[in-house]
Amino acid sequence: MNTDTPAPSAALLLIGNELLSGRTQDKNLAFIGSRLAARGIVLCEARVIADIPAVIVQAINELRARHTYVFTTGGIGPTHDDITADCVAEAMGVALEVHPEAERRLLAYFQSRDVEANADRMRMARVPVGGTLIDNPVSIAPGFQIENVYVMAGVPRIMQSMFESIEPCLATGPRIDSISVICNLAEGTLANALRQLQEEFSTLDLGSYPMSAEDGQRVVLVAKGSDHEALVRVEGRLQSMVQSLNGQLFQS
Amino acid sequence: MNTDTPAPSAALLLIGNELLSGRTQDKNLAFIGSRLAARGIVLCEARVIADIPAVIVQAINELRARHTYVFTTGGIGPTHDDITADCVAEAMGVALEVHPEAERRLLAYFQSRDVEANADRMRMARVPVGGTLIDNPVSIAPGFQIENVYVMAGVPRIMQSMFESIEPCLATGPRIDSISVICNLAEGTLANALRQLQEEFSTLDLGSYPMSAEDGQRVVLVAKGSDHEALVRVEGRLQSMVQSLNGQLFQS
């Protein structure tokens, strides 16, 4: 189930009442999860929490002590419920101050668009002391990094552009690849042989995921890990396993 | 930001490596979040965690001590990575045993479909001692409830059918309703007036959510709460606010 090589770990904090009420379908977890995996960073957990200061502060402190990286999304806009920067400053025990470069960028942006740089918009220039900016190519208002915490916007398009600007600076772990084999056998038919393969290929993570196809049920067998030689071997073994159980293989 | 009336609280535990790797897009949070809100149960947090026993056990114990209800999804199938039932039993300090009614249902189902009731499939009949079954109208293998923890499947269609079978038995809180007003003003333009409205309507939660429309950007202003008279009043006030800021209102 594990690799022997150590890898950087991460936690993701999705902040916003609208995610918990079902009003908004989160799309940030899947994006960040797959991008971190491609870099060899293990996303160990994600939490979805409400816009409540004490809850946000506690979650940040708990997760930043435990993981190489903490990424947050949401709560850095101009309105009263945008409290992430305040909470990160409180969690770090530092002041929240106007960051001169953030202020400069925002003033130039608002001026160019003939938009009033009112107090609410300029809240977005505040950064915990010691933090550095995360660029926002989409709508300028920056995120920030302080210690191992990376604070990003909640709107997926903006979050993605922010993530791409920090991505090259993140540590890399052993590259985690995956192979998958699709078949028409039920999980209950595959389970025993799959368990034996998992025991044999202990450097890989084997999983099975049911899915619906137009002409019936499928199970996708997935093997993941950084042991590339083992991945190649297990793919052949998974295919033989399906055939020996009288199952049919499908292209992915 | 709060209502004065107490409401049942809940936490959701989404279990599965495939959610953290970005392989699978979670759809269970939004469903459960909206159904709980409709019942007046406040979903306070959701966690997405990996298939690691110690992590699952710790999360269950932490959350069940803190909330009226804990709902879990995922990890109750027949394969080696389906370990949720084992972890719940461990968290509760009870044995995991074959539940006679679960066994009966599974045997009848497998027999009717001419499927072998092998040891892996029959793992799905195991329930922590003291647990009661949650019906699964889709694929029979039941979930279970023990104390305030409700264990459901991860496949959305199955999870939903399980949730609907327990829904009538859950406590209800003050019904939380919401109104929304859509306009073409930027959040930075609305922020100050919105903050004042939030202070005035302290029994409601006011939020603003940017969204893209075909002909430009919109902001959806949402008010939520169980104070119905206040919801009616705030809707009119939000509309007046938009008009006084020279914004345009749109139908939802």
Side-chain angles (χ1 to χ4, degrees), chain A residues 20 25-26 33 45-48 79-80 118 120-121 188-189 192 195 206 208, chain B residues 20 25-26 33 45-48 79-80 118 120-121 188-189 192 195 206 208:
Chain A
L20 289 166
Q25 163 71 54
D26 167 66
E45 62 174 309
R47 292 193 192 179
V48 188
T79 58
H80 65 276
N118 61 27
D120 294 298
R121 288 199 170 92
T189 304
N192 188 42
R195 174 178 288 111
L206 267 57
S208 65
Chain B
L20 289 166
Q25 164 71 54
D26 167 66
E45 61 174 308
R47 293 193 191 179
V48 188
T79 58
H80 65 276
N118 62 27
D120 294 297
R121 288 199 169 93
T189 304
N192 188 42
R195 174 177 289 109
L206 267 59
S208 65

PDB file of all heavy atoms in Angstrom, chain A residues 20 25-26 33 45-48 79-80 118 120-121 188-189 192 195 206 208, chain B residues 20 25-26 33 45-48 79-80 118 120-121 188-189 192 195 206 208:
ATOM      1  N   LEU A  20     -20.816  23.792   1.562  1.00  0.00           N
ATOM      2  CA  LEU A  20     -21.461  22.901   2.537  1.00  0.00           C
ATOM      3  C   LEU A  20     -22.975  22.881   2.382  1.00  0.00           C
ATOM      4  O   LEU A  20     -23.629  21.905   2.752  1.00  0.00           O
ATOM      5  CB  LEU A  20     -21.084  23.327   3.958  1.00  0.00           C
ATOM      6  CG  LEU A  20     -19.624  23.052   4.339  1.00  0.00           C
ATOM      7  CD1 LEU A  20     -19.250  23.805   5.606  1.00  0.00           C
ATOM      8  CD2 LEU A  20     -19.389  21.558   4.520  1.00  0.00           C
ATOM      9  N   GLN A  25     -21.067  23.363  -6.348  1.00  0.00           N
ATOM     10  CA  GLN A  25     -20.364  22.090  -6.496  1.00  0.00           C
ATOM     11  C   GLN A  25     -18.868  22.384  -6.555  1.00  0.00           C
ATOM     12  O   GLN A  25     -18.412  23.066  -7.463  1.00  0.00           O
ATOM     13  CB  GLN A  25     -20.844  21.393  -7.771  1.00  0.00           C
ATOM     14  CG  GLN A  25     -19.946  20.274  -8.273  1.00  0.00           C
ATOM     15  CD  GLN A  25     -19.994  19.032  -7.394  1.00  0.00           C
ATOM     16  OE1 GLN A  25     -21.048  18.486  -7.128  1.00  0.00           O
ATOM     17  NE2 GLN A  25     -18.822  18.599  -6.928  1.00  0.00           N
ATOM     18  N   ASP A  26     -18.114  21.859  -5.590  1.00  0.00           N
ATOM     19  CA  ASP A  26     -16.665  22.097  -5.609  1.00  0.00           C
ATOM     20  C   ASP A  26     -16.017  21.476  -6.830  1.00  0.00           C
ATOM     21  O   ASP A  26     -16.319  20.345  -7.210  1.00  0.00           O
ATOM     22  CB  ASP A  26     -15.995  21.517  -4.366  1.00  0.00           C
ATOM     23  CG  ASP A  26     -14.480  21.490  -4.552  1.00  0.00           C
ATOM     24  OD1 ASP A  26     -13.902  22.583  -4.624  1.00  0.00           O
ATOM     25  OD2 ASP A  26     -13.905  20.402  -4.693  1.00  0.00           O
ATOM     26  N   GLY A  33      -5.874  17.984  -6.577  1.00  0.00           N
ATOM     27  CA  GLY A  33      -5.460  16.609  -6.317  1.00  0.00           C
ATOM     28  C   GLY A  33      -4.668  16.009  -7.468  1.00  0.00           C
ATOM     29  O   GLY A  33      -3.617  15.395  -7.272  1.00  0.00           O
ATOM     30  N   GLU A  45      -5.350  14.880   2.813  1.00  0.00           N
ATOM     31  CA  GLU A  45      -6.731  15.136   3.188  1.00  0.00           C
ATOM     32  C   GLU A  45      -7.195  16.473   2.660  1.00  0.00           C
ATOM     33  O   GLU A  45      -6.398  17.358   2.371  1.00  0.00           O
ATOM     34  CB  GLU A  45      -6.929  15.093   4.709  1.00  0.00           C
ATOM     35  CG  GLU A  45      -6.154  16.119   5.486  1.00  0.00           C
ATOM     36  CD  GLU A  45      -6.513  16.099   6.987  1.00  0.00           C
ATOM     37  OE1 GLU A  45      -7.708  16.158   7.313  1.00  0.00           O
ATOM     38  OE2 GLU A  45      -5.584  16.042   7.814  1.00  0.00           O
ATOM     39  N   ALA A  46      -8.507  16.594   2.510  1.00  0.00           N
ATOM     40  CA  ALA A  46      -9.123  17.871   2.157  1.00  0.00           C
ATOM     41  C   ALA A  46     -10.236  18.103   3.157  1.00  0.00           C
ATOM     42  O   ALA A  46     -10.911  17.159   3.585  1.00  0.00           O
ATOM     43  CB  ALA A  46      -9.682  17.826   0.744  1.00  0.00           C
ATOM     44  N   ARG A  47     -10.415  19.351   3.549  1.00  0.00           N
ATOM     45  CA  ARG A  47     -11.520  19.690   4.450  1.00  0.00           C
ATOM     46  C   ARG A  47     -12.325  20.816   3.848  1.00  0.00           C
ATOM     47  O   ARG A  47     -11.772  21.767   3.311  1.00  0.00           O
ATOM     48  CB  ARG A  47     -10.998  20.159   5.806  1.00  0.00           C
ATOM     49  CG  ARG A  47     -10.334  19.069   6.575  1.00  0.00           C
ATOM     50  CD  ARG A  47     -10.122  19.496   8.012  1.00  0.00           C
ATOM     51  NE  ARG A  47      -9.238  18.543   8.653  1.00  0.00           N
ATOM     52  CZ  ARG A  47      -8.823  18.630   9.896  1.00  0.00           C
ATOM     53  NH1 ARG A  47      -9.236  19.650  10.644  1.00  0.00           N
ATOM     54  NH2 ARG A  47      -8.017  17.730  10.412  1.00  0.00           N
ATOM     55  N   VAL A  48     -13.630  20.686   3.974  1.00  0.00           N
ATOM     56  CA  VAL A  48     -14.536  21.738   3.541  1.00  0.00           C
ATOM     57  C   VAL A  48     -15.103  22.356   4.811  1.00  0.00           C
ATOM     58  O   VAL A  48     -15.711  21.648   5.622  1.00  0.00           O
ATOM     59  CB  VAL A  48     -15.676  21.171   2.677  1.00  0.00           C
ATOM     60  CG1 VAL A  48     -16.489  22.303   2.067  1.00  0.00           C
ATOM     61  CG2 VAL A  48     -15.132  20.230   1.602  1.00  0.00           C
ATOM     62  N   THR A  79     -15.818  41.076  -0.019  1.00  0.00           N
ATOM     63  CA  THR A  79     -17.037  41.210   0.792  1.00  0.00           C
ATOM     64  C   THR A  79     -16.835  40.746   2.235  1.00  0.00           C
ATOM     65  O   THR A  79     -15.812  40.159   2.578  1.00  0.00           O
ATOM     66  CB  THR A  79     -18.227  40.459   0.137  1.00  0.00           C
ATOM     67  OG1 THR A  79     -17.889  39.091  -0.024  1.00  0.00           O
ATOM     68  CG2 THR A  79     -18.576  41.067  -1.210  1.00  0.00           C
ATOM     69  N   HIS A  80     -17.847  41.024   3.060  1.00  0.00           N
ATOM     70  CA  HIS A  80     -17.730  40.803   4.512  1.00  0.00           C
ATOM     71  C   HIS A  80     -17.475  39.347   4.873  1.00  0.00           C
ATOM     72  O   HIS A  80     -16.936  39.055   5.933  1.00  0.00           O
ATOM     73  CB  HIS A  80     -19.007  41.279   5.204  1.00  0.00           C
ATOM     74  CG  HIS A  80     -20.208  40.464   4.811  1.00  0.00           C
ATOM     75  ND1 HIS A  80     -20.938  40.733   3.661  1.00  0.00           N
ATOM     76  CD2 HIS A  80     -20.781  39.377   5.357  1.00  0.00           C
ATOM     77  CE1 HIS A  80     -21.905  39.847   3.551  1.00  0.00           C
ATOM     78  NE2 HIS A  80     -21.838  39.009   4.555  1.00  0.00           N
ATOM     79  N   ASN A 118     -12.338  51.471  -3.766  1.00  0.00           N
ATOM     80  CA  ASN A 118     -12.926  51.735  -2.445  1.00  0.00           C
ATOM     81  C   ASN A 118     -12.295  50.831  -1.373  1.00  0.00           C
ATOM     82  O   ASN A 118     -11.503  49.937  -1.669  1.00  0.00           O
ATOM     83  CB  ASN A 118     -14.459  51.588  -2.491  1.00  0.00           C
ATOM     84  CG  ASN A 118     -14.892  50.179  -2.891  1.00  0.00           C
ATOM     85  OD1 ASN A 118     -14.164  49.212  -2.660  1.00  0.00           O
ATOM     86  ND2 ASN A 118     -16.074  50.065  -3.486  1.00  0.00           N
ATOM     87  N   ASP A 120     -13.436  48.456   0.409  1.00  0.00           N
ATOM     88  CA  ASP A 120     -13.706  47.022   0.321  1.00  0.00           C
ATOM     89  C   ASP A 120     -12.793  46.359  -0.705  1.00  0.00           C
ATOM     90  O   ASP A 120     -12.232  45.294  -0.447  1.00  0.00           O
ATOM     91  CB  ASP A 120     -15.178  46.792  -0.037  1.00  0.00           C
ATOM     92  CG  ASP A 120     -16.087  47.252   1.091  1.00  0.00           C
ATOM     93  OD1 ASP A 120     -15.985  46.683   2.185  1.00  0.00           O
ATOM     94  OD2 ASP A 120     -16.866  48.199   0.884  1.00  0.00           O
ATOM     95  N   ARG A 121     -12.652  46.990  -1.880  1.00  0.00           N
ATOM     96  CA  ARG A 121     -11.756  46.410  -2.886  1.00  0.00           C
ATOM     97  C   ARG A 121     -10.315  46.378  -2.372  1.00  0.00           C
ATOM     98  O   ARG A 121      -9.588  45.425  -2.621  1.00  0.00           O
ATOM     99  CB  ARG A 121     -11.822  47.215  -4.187  1.00  0.00           C
ATOM    100  CG  ARG A 121     -13.126  47.021  -4.942  1.00  0.00           C
ATOM    101  CD  ARG A 121     -13.001  47.442  -6.409  1.00  0.00           C
ATOM    102  NE  ARG A 121     -14.175  47.028  -7.160  1.00  0.00           N
ATOM    103  CZ  ARG A 121     -15.251  47.795  -7.341  1.00  0.00           C
ATOM    104  NH1 ARG A 121     -15.292  49.019  -6.858  1.00  0.00           N
ATOM    105  NH2 ARG A 121     -16.287  47.328  -8.018  1.00  0.00           N
ATOM    106  N   GLY A 188     -17.050  -8.161  -6.686  1.00  0.00           N
ATOM    107  CA  GLY A 188     -17.068  -9.347  -5.843  1.00  0.00           C
ATOM    108  C   GLY A 188     -16.394 -10.555  -6.479  1.00  0.00           C
ATOM    109  O   GLY A 188     -15.907 -11.451  -5.801  1.00  0.00           O
ATOM    110  N   THR A 189     -16.380 -10.583  -7.794  1.00  0.00           N
ATOM    111  CA  THR A 189     -15.699 -11.661  -8.515  1.00  0.00           C
ATOM    112  C   THR A 189     -14.193 -11.434  -8.527  1.00  0.00           C
ATOM    113  O   THR A 189     -13.400 -12.369  -8.472  1.00  0.00           O
ATOM    114  CB  THR A 189     -16.238 -11.716  -9.969  1.00  0.00           C
ATOM    115  OG1 THR A 189     -17.652 -11.866  -9.924  1.00  0.00           O
ATOM    116  CG2 THR A 189     -15.610 -12.856 -10.764  1.00  0.00           C
ATOM    117  N   ASN A 192     -10.919 -11.364  -4.582  1.00  0.00           N
ATOM    118  CA  ASN A 192      -9.910 -12.265  -4.009  1.00  0.00           C
ATOM    119  C   ASN A 192      -8.588 -12.191  -4.773  1.00  0.00           C
ATOM    120  O   ASN A 192      -7.511 -12.025  -4.187  1.00  0.00           O
ATOM    121  CB  ASN A 192     -10.449 -13.699  -3.988  1.00  0.00           C
ATOM    122  CG  ASN A 192      -9.524 -14.631  -3.234  1.00  0.00           C
ATOM    123  OD1 ASN A 192      -9.010 -14.267  -2.182  1.00  0.00           O
ATOM    124  ND2 ASN A 192      -9.281 -15.799  -3.787  1.00  0.00           N
ATOM    125  N   ARG A 195      -6.903  -8.868  -4.179  1.00  0.00           N
ATOM    126  CA  ARG A 195      -6.246  -8.793  -2.872  1.00  0.00           C
ATOM    127  C   ARG A 195      -4.877  -9.473  -2.926  1.00  0.00           C
ATOM    128  O   ARG A 195      -3.899  -8.954  -2.378  1.00  0.00           O
ATOM    129  CB  ARG A 195      -7.127  -9.453  -1.802  1.00  0.00           C
ATOM    130  CG  ARG A 195      -6.460  -9.545  -0.424  1.00  0.00           C
ATOM    131  CD  ARG A 195      -7.368 -10.155   0.624  1.00  0.00           C
ATOM    132  NE  ARG A 195      -8.436  -9.233   0.991  1.00  0.00           N
ATOM    133  CZ  ARG A 195      -9.708  -9.385   0.707  1.00  0.00           C
ATOM    134  NH1 ARG A 195     -10.112 -10.469   0.051  1.00  0.00           N
ATOM    135  NH2 ARG A 195     -10.592  -8.491   1.075  1.00  0.00           N
ATOM    136  N   LEU A 206      -3.491  -0.603  -5.212  1.00  0.00           N
ATOM    137  CA  LEU A 206      -4.470  -1.136  -6.159  1.00  0.00           C
ATOM    138  C   LEU A 206      -5.882  -0.761  -5.700  1.00  0.00           C
ATOM    139  O   LEU A 206      -6.206  -0.882  -4.515  1.00  0.00           O
ATOM    140  CB  LEU A 206      -4.353  -2.664  -6.241  1.00  0.00           C
ATOM    141  CG  LEU A 206      -3.438  -3.225  -7.342  1.00  0.00           C
ATOM    142  CD1 LEU A 206      -2.022  -2.681  -7.216  1.00  0.00           C
ATOM    143  CD2 LEU A 206      -3.421  -4.739  -7.320  1.00  0.00           C
ATOM    144  N   SER A 208     -10.283  -0.600  -7.071  1.00  0.00           N
ATOM    145  CA  SER A 208     -11.266  -0.969  -8.087  1.00  0.00           C
ATOM    146  C   SER A 208     -12.448  -0.015  -7.991  1.00  0.00           C
ATOM    147  O   SER A 208     -12.920   0.282  -6.905  1.00  0.00           O
ATOM    148  CB  SER A 208     -11.724  -2.414  -7.880  1.00  0.00           C
ATOM    149  OG  SER A 208     -12.423  -2.546  -6.664  1.00  0.00           O
TER     150      SER A 208
ATOM    151  N   LEU B  20      -9.045  12.006  -3.603  1.00  0.00           N
ATOM    152  CA  LEU B  20      -7.887  12.864  -3.339  1.00  0.00           C
ATOM    153  C   LEU B  20      -6.920  12.915  -4.518  1.00  0.00           C
ATOM    154  O   LEU B  20      -6.184  13.884  -4.672  1.00  0.00           O
ATOM    155  CB  LEU B  20      -7.150  12.361  -2.088  1.00  0.00           C
ATOM    156  CG  LEU B  20      -7.903  12.597  -0.773  1.00  0.00           C
ATOM    157  CD1 LEU B  20      -7.278  11.777   0.348  1.00  0.00           C
ATOM    158  CD2 LEU B  20      -7.900  14.079  -0.402  1.00  0.00           C
ATOM    159  N   GLN B  25     -14.455  12.768  -9.360  1.00  0.00           N
ATOM    160  CA  GLN B  25     -15.031  14.037  -8.906  1.00  0.00           C
ATOM    161  C   GLN B  25     -16.138  13.721  -7.904  1.00  0.00           C
ATOM    162  O   GLN B  25     -17.111  13.069  -8.251  1.00  0.00           O
ATOM    163  CB  GLN B  25     -15.591  14.794 -10.117  1.00  0.00           C
ATOM    164  CG  GLN B  25     -16.547  15.930  -9.786  1.00  0.00           C
ATOM    165  CD  GLN B  25     -15.867  17.129  -9.151  1.00  0.00           C
ATOM    166  OE1 GLN B  25     -14.914  17.676  -9.692  1.00  0.00           O
ATOM    167  NE2 GLN B  25     -16.342  17.545  -7.976  1.00  0.00           N
ATOM    168  N   ASP B  26     -15.985  14.186  -6.664  1.00  0.00           N
ATOM    169  CA  ASP B  26     -17.019  13.927  -5.667  1.00  0.00           C
ATOM    170  C   ASP B  26     -18.333  14.589  -6.041  1.00  0.00           C
ATOM    171  O   ASP B  26     -18.373  15.739  -6.475  1.00  0.00           O
ATOM    172  CB  ASP B  26     -16.599  14.456  -4.296  1.00  0.00           C
ATOM    173  CG  ASP B  26     -17.799  14.461  -3.355  1.00  0.00           C
ATOM    174  OD1 ASP B  26     -18.282  13.376  -3.029  1.00  0.00           O
ATOM    175  OD2 ASP B  26     -18.303  15.558  -2.996  1.00  0.00           O
ATOM    176  N   GLY B  33     -25.250  17.881   1.453  1.00  0.00           N
ATOM    177  CA  GLY B  33     -25.331  19.245   1.999  1.00  0.00           C
ATOM    178  C   GLY B  33     -26.689  19.873   1.764  1.00  0.00           C
ATOM    179  O   GLY B  33     -27.290  20.457   2.673  1.00  0.00           O
ATOM    180  N   GLU B  45     -18.921  20.566   8.572  1.00  0.00           N
ATOM    181  CA  GLU B  45     -17.672  20.322   7.857  1.00  0.00           C
ATOM    182  C   GLU B  45     -17.740  19.015   7.094  1.00  0.00           C
ATOM    183  O   GLU B  45     -18.512  18.115   7.426  1.00  0.00           O
ATOM    184  CB  GLU B  45     -16.463  20.304   8.792  1.00  0.00           C
ATOM    185  CG  GLU B  45     -16.483  19.243   9.850  1.00  0.00           C
ATOM    186  CD  GLU B  45     -15.166  19.210  10.659  1.00  0.00           C
ATOM    187  OE1 GLU B  45     -14.083  19.144  10.046  1.00  0.00           O
ATOM    188  OE2 GLU B  45     -15.239  19.228  11.898  1.00  0.00           O
ATOM    189  N   ALA B  46     -16.934  18.932   6.067  1.00  0.00           N
ATOM    190  CA  ALA B  46     -16.766  17.684   5.321  1.00  0.00           C
ATOM    191  C   ALA B  46     -15.271  17.420   5.225  1.00  0.00           C
ATOM    192  O   ALA B  46     -14.479  18.339   5.099  1.00  0.00           O
ATOM    193  CB  ALA B  46     -17.379  17.808   3.935  1.00  0.00           C
ATOM    194  N   ARG B  47     -14.899  16.161   5.338  1.00  0.00           N
ATOM    195  CA  ARG B  47     -13.490  15.806   5.173  1.00  0.00           C
ATOM    196  C   ARG B  47     -13.356  14.720   4.130  1.00  0.00           C
ATOM    197  O   ARG B  47     -14.147  13.786   4.098  1.00  0.00           O
ATOM    198  CB  ARG B  47     -12.903  15.268   6.480  1.00  0.00           C
ATOM    199  CG  ARG B  47     -12.817  16.317   7.543  1.00  0.00           C
ATOM    200  CD  ARG B  47     -11.963  15.828   8.684  1.00  0.00           C
ATOM    201  NE  ARG B  47     -12.114  16.742   9.801  1.00  0.00           N
ATOM    202  CZ  ARG B  47     -11.525  16.594  10.971  1.00  0.00           C
ATOM    203  NH1 ARG B  47     -10.738  15.548  11.180  1.00  0.00           N
ATOM    204  NH2 ARG B  47     -11.693  17.469  11.928  1.00  0.00           N
ATOM    205  N   VAL B  48     -12.354  14.855   3.307  1.00  0.00           N
ATOM    206  CA  VAL B  48     -12.038  13.841   2.317  1.00  0.00           C
ATOM    207  C   VAL B  48     -10.747  13.184   2.780  1.00  0.00           C
ATOM    208  O   VAL B  48      -9.737  13.867   2.956  1.00  0.00           O
ATOM    209  CB  VAL B  48     -11.825  14.466   0.926  1.00  0.00           C
ATOM    210  CG1 VAL B  48     -11.703  13.373  -0.126  1.00  0.00           C
ATOM    211  CG2 VAL B  48     -12.944  15.443   0.598  1.00  0.00           C
ATOM    212  N   THR B  79     -14.018  -5.269  -1.918  1.00  0.00           N
ATOM    213  CA  THR B  79     -12.579  -5.416  -2.218  1.00  0.00           C
ATOM    214  C   THR B  79     -11.697  -5.019  -1.038  1.00  0.00           C
ATOM    215  O   THR B  79     -12.165  -4.466  -0.052  1.00  0.00           O
ATOM    216  CB  THR B  79     -12.200  -4.617  -3.486  1.00  0.00           C
ATOM    217  OG1 THR B  79     -12.530  -3.258  -3.293  1.00  0.00           O
ATOM    218  CG2 THR B  79     -12.919  -5.167  -4.700  1.00  0.00           C
ATOM    219  N   HIS B  80     -10.403  -5.309  -1.189  1.00  0.00           N
ATOM    220  CA  HIS B  80      -9.458  -5.144  -0.072  1.00  0.00           C
ATOM    221  C   HIS B  80      -9.365  -3.713   0.426  1.00  0.00           C
ATOM    222  O   HIS B  80      -8.985  -3.471   1.565  1.00  0.00           O
ATOM    223  CB  HIS B  80      -8.066  -5.624  -0.507  1.00  0.00           C
ATOM    224  CG  HIS B  80      -7.489  -4.767  -1.595  1.00  0.00           C
ATOM    225  ND1 HIS B  80      -7.782  -4.965  -2.922  1.00  0.00           N
ATOM    226  CD2 HIS B  80      -6.684  -3.681  -1.555  1.00  0.00           C
ATOM    227  CE1 HIS B  80      -7.161  -4.037  -3.651  1.00  0.00           C
ATOM    228  NE2 HIS B  80      -6.497  -3.260  -2.847  1.00  0.00           N
ATOM    229  N   ASN B 118     -19.316 -15.562  -2.537  1.00  0.00           N
ATOM    230  CA  ASN B 118     -17.973 -15.866  -2.029  1.00  0.00           C
ATOM    231  C   ASN B 118     -17.641 -15.024  -0.788  1.00  0.00           C
ATOM    232  O   ASN B 118     -18.403 -14.137  -0.397  1.00  0.00           O
ATOM    233  CB  ASN B 118     -16.926 -15.694  -3.146  1.00  0.00           C
ATOM    234  CG  ASN B 118     -16.873 -14.260  -3.670  1.00  0.00           C
ATOM    235  OD1 ASN B 118     -17.204 -13.321  -2.938  1.00  0.00           O
ATOM    236  ND2 ASN B 118     -16.475 -14.093  -4.917  1.00  0.00           N
ATOM    237  N   ASP B 120     -15.532 -12.711  -0.236  1.00  0.00           N
ATOM    238  CA  ASP B 120     -15.386 -11.266  -0.417  1.00  0.00           C
ATOM    239  C   ASP B 120     -16.742 -10.573  -0.468  1.00  0.00           C
ATOM    240  O   ASP B 120     -16.946  -9.536   0.162  1.00  0.00           O
ATOM    241  CB  ASP B 120     -14.601 -10.984  -1.701  1.00  0.00           C
ATOM    242  CG  ASP B 120     -13.177 -11.480  -1.577  1.00  0.00           C
ATOM    243  OD1 ASP B 120     -12.461 -10.954  -0.707  1.00  0.00           O
ATOM    244  OD2 ASP B 120     -12.790 -12.401  -2.315  1.00  0.00           O
ATOM    245  N   ARG B 121     -17.671 -11.161  -1.228  1.00  0.00           N
ATOM    246  CA  ARG B 121     -19.008 -10.551  -1.290  1.00  0.00           C
ATOM    247  C   ARG B 121     -19.661 -10.562   0.100  1.00  0.00           C
ATOM    248  O   ARG B 121     -20.328  -9.607   0.493  1.00  0.00           O
ATOM    249  CB  ARG B 121     -19.903 -11.296  -2.281  1.00  0.00           C
ATOM    250  CG  ARG B 121     -19.509 -11.062  -3.730  1.00  0.00           C
ATOM    251  CD  ARG B 121     -20.647 -11.402  -4.689  1.00  0.00           C
ATOM    252  NE  ARG B 121     -20.334 -10.920  -6.027  1.00  0.00           N
ATOM    253  CZ  ARG B 121     -19.745 -11.652  -6.973  1.00  0.00           C
ATOM    254  NH1 ARG B 121     -19.433 -12.909  -6.732  1.00  0.00           N
ATOM    255  NH2 ARG B 121     -19.479 -11.133  -8.150  1.00  0.00           N
ATOM    256  N   GLY B 188     -17.019  44.249  -5.417  1.00  0.00           N
ATOM    257  CA  GLY B 188     -16.376  45.399  -4.778  1.00  0.00           C
ATOM    258  C   GLY B 188     -17.293  46.606  -4.695  1.00  0.00           C
ATOM    259  O   GLY B 188     -17.149  47.467  -3.821  1.00  0.00           O
ATOM    260  N   THR B 189     -18.238  46.691  -5.612  1.00  0.00           N
ATOM    261  CA  THR B 189     -19.208  47.791  -5.594  1.00  0.00           C
ATOM    262  C   THR B 189     -20.287  47.534  -4.543  1.00  0.00           C
ATOM    263  O   THR B 189     -20.786  48.449  -3.899  1.00  0.00           O
ATOM    264  CB  THR B 189     -19.866  47.927  -6.991  1.00  0.00           C
ATOM    265  OG1 THR B 189     -18.832  48.107  -7.959  1.00  0.00           O
ATOM    266  CG2 THR B 189     -20.845  49.082  -7.046  1.00  0.00           C
ATOM    267  N   ASN B 192     -19.811  47.238   0.557  1.00  0.00           N
ATOM    268  CA  ASN B 192     -20.096  48.090   1.707  1.00  0.00           C
ATOM    269  C   ASN B 192     -21.575  48.031   2.104  1.00  0.00           C
ATOM    270  O   ASN B 192     -21.924  47.827   3.268  1.00  0.00           O
ATOM    271  CB  ASN B 192     -19.677  49.534   1.402  1.00  0.00           C
ATOM    272  CG  ASN B 192     -19.771  50.417   2.631  1.00  0.00           C
ATOM    273  OD1 ASN B 192     -19.389  49.994   3.715  1.00  0.00           O
ATOM    274  ND2 ASN B 192     -20.309  51.606   2.462  1.00  0.00           N
ATOM    275  N   ARG B 195     -22.403  44.650   3.572  1.00  0.00           N
ATOM    276  CA  ARG B 195     -21.934  44.503   4.955  1.00  0.00           C
ATOM    277  C   ARG B 195     -22.929  45.163   5.919  1.00  0.00           C
ATOM    278  O   ARG B 195     -23.266  44.601   6.960  1.00  0.00           O
ATOM    279  CB  ARG B 195     -20.550  45.137   5.119  1.00  0.00           C
ATOM    280  CG  ARG B 195     -20.059  45.159   6.563  1.00  0.00           C
ATOM    281  CD  ARG B 195     -18.662  45.731   6.698  1.00  0.00           C
ATOM    282  NE  ARG B 195     -17.662  44.825   6.151  1.00  0.00           N
ATOM    283  CZ  ARG B 195     -16.970  45.020   5.044  1.00  0.00           C
ATOM    284  NH1 ARG B 195     -17.138  46.133   4.352  1.00  0.00           N
ATOM    285  NH2 ARG B 195     -16.095  44.131   4.629  1.00  0.00           N
ATOM    286  N   LEU B 206     -25.677  36.381   4.911  1.00  0.00           N
ATOM    287  CA  LEU B 206     -25.642  36.975   3.574  1.00  0.00           C
ATOM    288  C   LEU B 206     -24.332  36.607   2.891  1.00  0.00           C
ATOM    289  O   LEU B 206     -23.262  36.685   3.502  1.00  0.00           O
ATOM    290  CB  LEU B 206     -25.766  38.509   3.659  1.00  0.00           C
ATOM    291  CG  LEU B 206     -27.185  39.081   3.548  1.00  0.00           C
ATOM    292  CD1 LEU B 206     -28.088  38.535   4.629  1.00  0.00           C
ATOM    293  CD2 LEU B 206     -27.149  40.611   3.619  1.00  0.00           C
ATOM    294  N   SER B 208     -22.189  36.571  -1.208  1.00  0.00           N
ATOM    295  CA  SER B 208     -22.211  37.014  -2.609  1.00  0.00           C
ATOM    296  C   SER B 208     -21.331  36.076  -3.426  1.00  0.00           C
ATOM    297  O   SER B 208     -20.228  35.723  -3.007  1.00  0.00           O
ATOM    298  CB  SER B 208     -21.706  38.450  -2.717  1.00  0.00           C
ATOM    299  OG  SER B 208     -20.352  38.532  -2.342  1.00  0.00           O
TER     300      SER B 208
END
